[in-house]
């Protein structure tokens, strides 16, 4: 068992940043993303013998998607009070952080299942069939969610401004 633990520790050290990035695409929050990855890794530890030889990143990303969706079903989603109402930004994103924030805000406007489909299809690079299997939905539903999510992103005004070149994007940001 020590050998398994050592293999698992080495994998976690190497994979942590990419797993947290995948989780962030689902949650939109770094702290919840870290919690999601920790939860999934805790569940995966007992199955590590089977997982490690069969594309562990893909397996763990699938676990993240299903775990995130189950968390969403259980959590309260009412109003959250804020000190001040945020003003809409009229500034152009001028650096990589602003660009990422614009994209993150657009992703957070999408329904949770559409975000999960986009993460699995484009970030985890799963096929439509594999995405459907992970999420427990049909391939047609995956296609529908993908189309709706991309349509929603295209309608986002900040994304439109990026696409039409109204916002300056440097070569480093591409």
């Amino acid at each position: 068992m020590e050998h398994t633990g050592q293999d698992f520790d080495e994998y976690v050290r190497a994979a942590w940043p990419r797993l947290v990035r995948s989780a962030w695409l689902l949650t939109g929050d770094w702290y919840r993303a870290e919690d999601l990855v920790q939860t999934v890794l805790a569940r995966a530890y007992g199955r590590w013998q089977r997982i490690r030889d069969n594309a562990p990143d893909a397996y763990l990303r699938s676990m993240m998607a299903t775990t995130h969706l189950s968390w969403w079903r259980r959590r309260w989603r009412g109003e959250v009070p804020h000190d001040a109402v945020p003003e809409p930004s009229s500034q152009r994103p001028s650096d990589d952080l602003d660009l990422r924030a614009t994209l993150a805000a657009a992703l957070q406007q999408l329904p949770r299942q559409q975000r999960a489909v986009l993460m699995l299809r484009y970030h985890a690079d799963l096929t439509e069939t594999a995405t459907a299997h992970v999420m427990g939905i049909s391939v047609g539903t995956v296609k529908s969610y993908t189309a709706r999510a991309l349509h929603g992103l295209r309608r986002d005004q900040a994304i439109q401004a990026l696409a039409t070149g109204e916002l300056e994007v440097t070569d480093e940001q591409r």
Side-chain angles (χ1 to χ4, degrees), residues 119-151:
M119 188 280 287
L120 291 170
R121 288 281 294 126
Y122 298 108
H123 185 70
D125 201 28
L126 296 182
T127 64
E128 291 171 339
T129 305
T131 301
H133 178 72
V134 166
M135 293 185 67
I137 57 179
S138 71
V139 173
T141 304
V142 169
K143 291 177 182 181
S144 176
Y145 284 166
T146 302
R148 288 179 187 163
L150 293 175
H151 179 73

Side-chain angles (χ1 to χ4, degrees), residues 11 47-63 126:
Y11 172 79
R47 305 177 198 158
W48 186 243
Q49 289 288 354
R50 284 182 294 153
I51 295 171
R52 74 176 176 184
D53 297 327
N54 299 313
D57 279 6
Y59 190 88
L60 293 173
R61 283 188 181 116
S62 298
M63 286 179 70
L126 296 182

Side-chain angles (χ1 to χ4, degrees), residues 5-71:
Q6 187 178 14
D7 289 348
F8 185 76
D9 290 345
E10 290 171 10
Y11 172 79
V12 169
R13 275 190 219 93
W16 180 261
R18 64 182 178 263
L19 292 174
V20 172
R21 278 192 304 270
S22 295
W24 177 81
L25 289 171
L26 291 170
T27 65
D29 178 81
W30 286 109
Y31 299 110
R32 282 188 286 165
E34 288 177 343
D35 287 347
L36 179 59
V37 172
Q38 288 175 2
T39 301
V40 166
L41 289 173
R43 288 179 42 214
Y45 182 78
R47 305 177 198 158
W48 186 243
Q49 289 288 354
R50 284 182 294 153
I51 295 171
R52 74 176 176 184
D53 297 327
N54 299 313
D57 279 6
Y59 190 88
L60 293 173
R61 283 188 181 116
S62 298
M63 286 179 70
M64 281 191 288
T66 55
T67 302
H68 173 68
L69 292 173
S70 70
W71 281 3

